[in-house]
Amino acid sequence: MQYLFDENGRRYLDAFGGIATVCCGHCHPLVVDAIVNQTKRIQHSTILYLNHSIADFAEALASKMPANLKVVFFTNSGTEANELAMMMAKLYTGCQDIVSLRNSYHGNAAGTMGATAQRNWKFNVVQTGMHHAINPDPYRGIFGSDGEKYAKDVQDLIDYGTSGHVAGFISEAIQGVGGIVELAPGYLPAVYDSIRKAGGLCIADEVQAGFARTGSNFWGFESHGVVPDIVTMAKGIGNGIPLGAVVTTPEIAEVLTLRNYFNTFGGNPVCTTAGLAVLNVIEKERLQENAFVVGSHLKGRLTSLMDKYEIIGDVRGNGLMLGVELVTDREMKTPAKVETLHVMEQLKDLGVLVGKGGFYGNVFRITPPLCFTKEDADYLVDAMDYTMSKM
């Protein structure tokens, strides 16, 4: 569940969840049983021969989406899902320009690496048609929490960097790899409006924020009051099984009928069976509610810790997708990179595993399995408190 064990049998509290992937918990019996039983029945056939598992999961997944988002394409990862989404946007609009956010991460293939906007994750490859907008970061951004001021940069990119028509805009609701950065309020509605006026599609990357992780909503974009044209997902969708998906409208999906679109393992019976089991567990065990309750408690305790230690510059996020940014100077917001590594190692010695992210590598990424308890949250914060008191 929320624990991991090393080769000597020592238990660790997993507050990272395999990079926000393990949502139900490690080795959840209902998910494991579904995978084992499907493996005994048939392991692989490809979607050339439709299997009940892919149809059942697609139907269940579509039922969780708003509006007319009801056509599902399965992939093996978030990178594949985002690649497919951007290709569909280009085919549907007839345009090639894609706008994404600085500090974003969307994958490590050619197209998604272009959309990614952090040098730490980019090789020197050609990335034509990509435009990176100013990040609407309430903590480090130039306009604070004024989302509409940041949104003007997207309109400027359209006006001065393109023909006036674009293929689309892609963003996370909360930047994961970027350091659990929430988008400034009012940003997405304004940007979606600009993109759609330019003929583009709006893509929501829910690879990390989706599947109830933020607690208040099942999908991260819902907290912004927008409805995307395409939604991509992976990680939490399979609780560790290699699985991703793209969900869109019938009109947009039709562009893939112009040629033969194929993915050998996309829609694999074992993977889609796992996905359906994950959805069932999230609902049966009320994990979205737990993410909200436990996440609120954890964020409150972390915020109290910030009052105690000057090294904590910011606590942010929603549900069980939280970030703690360490700085050596609160006013200058100087990244505390060495100190972050030190605390991370000390936490591991105390039996707690957390992630690390952000452009400067100075943000703790706290994305545990959604079965995390208040006791787990207290132990995590107490371990962090103890470590910082010794610095």
Side-chain angles (χ1 to χ4, degrees):
M1 300 302 285
Q2 63 267 49
Y3 305 108
L4 289 170
F5 299 81
D6 67 16
E7 69 275 16
N8 296 316
R10 184 184 177 188
R11 193 181 80 170
Y12 293 84
L13 177 63
D14 183 8
F16 195 31
I19 315 180
T21 295
V22 182
C23 62
C24 297
H26 296 282
C27 305
H28 192 291
L30 296 181
V31 178
V32 171
D33 287 348
I35 293 168
V36 171
N37 291 334
Q38 179 59 48
T39 303
K40 289 178 179 178
R41 192 175 298 118
I42 183 169
Q43 186 176 340
H44 182 68
S45 63
T46 84
I47 56 170
L48 288 173
Y49 310 104
L50 195 59
N51 186 283
H52 282 291
S53 63
I54 184 174
D56 291 345
F57 183 41
E59 185 175 36
L61 197 54
S63 73
K64 304 293 289 185
M65 307 301 301
N68 202 32
L69 294 163
K70 58 185 181 182
V71 181
V72 183
F73 293 94
F74 288 112
T75 65
N76 306 294
S77 68
T79 291
E80 278 192 3
N82 285 333
E83 285 277 343
L84 177 59
M86 291 193 293
M87 183 179 77
M88 292 172 73
K90 292 176 181 180
L91 292 172
Y92 183 78
T93 62
C95 298
Q96 298 298 309
D97 292 279
I98 296 282
V99 179
S100 69
L101 296 178
R102 295 177 189 174
N103 198 53
S104 63
Y105 179 88
H106 296 290
N108 56 11
T112 51
M113 190 175 289
T116 293
Q118 288 190 52
R119 69 165 182 255
N120 308 324
W121 303 100
K122 294 165 76 78
F123 289 103
N124 186 23
V125 296
V126 175
Q127 40 185 2
T128 56
M130 296 306 311
H131 306 269
H132 303 114
I134 295 173
N135 194 34
D137 180 349
Y139 180 62
R140 289 186 174 272
I142 57 174
F143 299 122
S145 295
D146 192 332
E148 292 188 8
K149 284 186 178 179
Y150 292 106
K152 188 180 182 301
D153 185 55
V154 173
Q155 186 61 54
D156 287 345
L157 285 175
I158 295 170
D159 291 340
Y160 298 103
T162 76
S163 66
H165 300 281
V166 297
F169 168 79
I170 183 170
S171 77
E172 307 158 87
I174 299 177
Q175 294 176 340
V177 173
I180 316 296
V181 176
E182 299 178 78
L183 308 187
Y187 179 76
L188 279 188
V191 169
Y192 274 31
D193 185 57
S194 291
I195 292 295
R196 284 171 173 155
K197 284 179 178 176
L201 301 181
C202 299
I203 304 168
D205 180 340
E206 292 287 322
V207 171
Q208 293 193 39
F211 288 88
R213 178 158 292 283
T214 60
S216 53
N217 298 101
F218 197 83
W219 305 110
F221 65 78
E222 291 177 298
S223 64
H224 292 270
V226 296
V227 177
D229 302 297
I230 304 175
V231 181
T232 64
M233 59 201 72
K235 292 188 183 293
I237 192 175
N239 204 52
I241 286 288
L243 177 64
V246 176
V247 185
T248 189
T249 67
E251 295 75 21
I252 296 170
E254 194 174 356
V255 298
L256 290 190
T257 66
L258 301 175
R259 295 289 187 276
N260 287 322
Y261 169 74
F262 188 71
N263 187 315
T264 300
F265 295 106
N268 170 275
V270 176
C271 294
T272 48
T273 294
L276 183 57
V278 167
L279 269 187
N280 291 337
V281 168
I282 290 174
E283 293 179 5
K284 180 181 179 180
E285 300 185 0
R286 302 172 71 177
L287 293 183
Q288 181 177 332
E289 181 182 331
N290 190 67
F292 178 79
V293 172
V294 176
S296 298
H297 172 74
L298 176 54
K299 188 175 183 179
R301 286 220 54 199
L302 289 169
T303 302
S304 296
L305 209 61
M306 183 169 67
D307 296 334
K308 190 174 180 180
Y309 297 106
E310 284 287 319
I311 195 171
I312 299 178
D314 194 32
V315 173
R316 52 184 181 252
N318 288 309
L320 288 174
M321 187 171 185
L322 301 174
V324 178
E325 180 158 355
L326 302 191
V327 294
T328 56
D329 185 313
R330 279 191 179 179
E331 187 176 341
M332 299 300 295
K333 300 177 182 176
T334 310
K337 294 181 282 188
V338 174
E339 292 83 353
T340 301
L341 283 172
H342 171 77
V343 174
M344 194 173 180
E345 285 301 308
Q346 293 301 306
L347 287 175
K348 187 173 71 173
D349 291 341
L350 292 171
V352 178
L353 305 177
V354 295
K356 178 174 68 69
F359 182 78
Y360 303 104
N362 67 317
V363 182
F364 290 123
R365 295 166 64 189
I366 301 172
T367 56
L370 305 188
C371 54
F372 221 57
T373 67
K374 285 186 177 180
E375 290 73 23
D376 295 325
D378 287 337
Y379 186 77
L380 164 61
V381 178
D382 289 345
M384 195 173 287
D385 187 0
Y386 176 79
T387 299
M388 290 182 175
S389 71
K390 301 295 181 182
M391 291 175 66

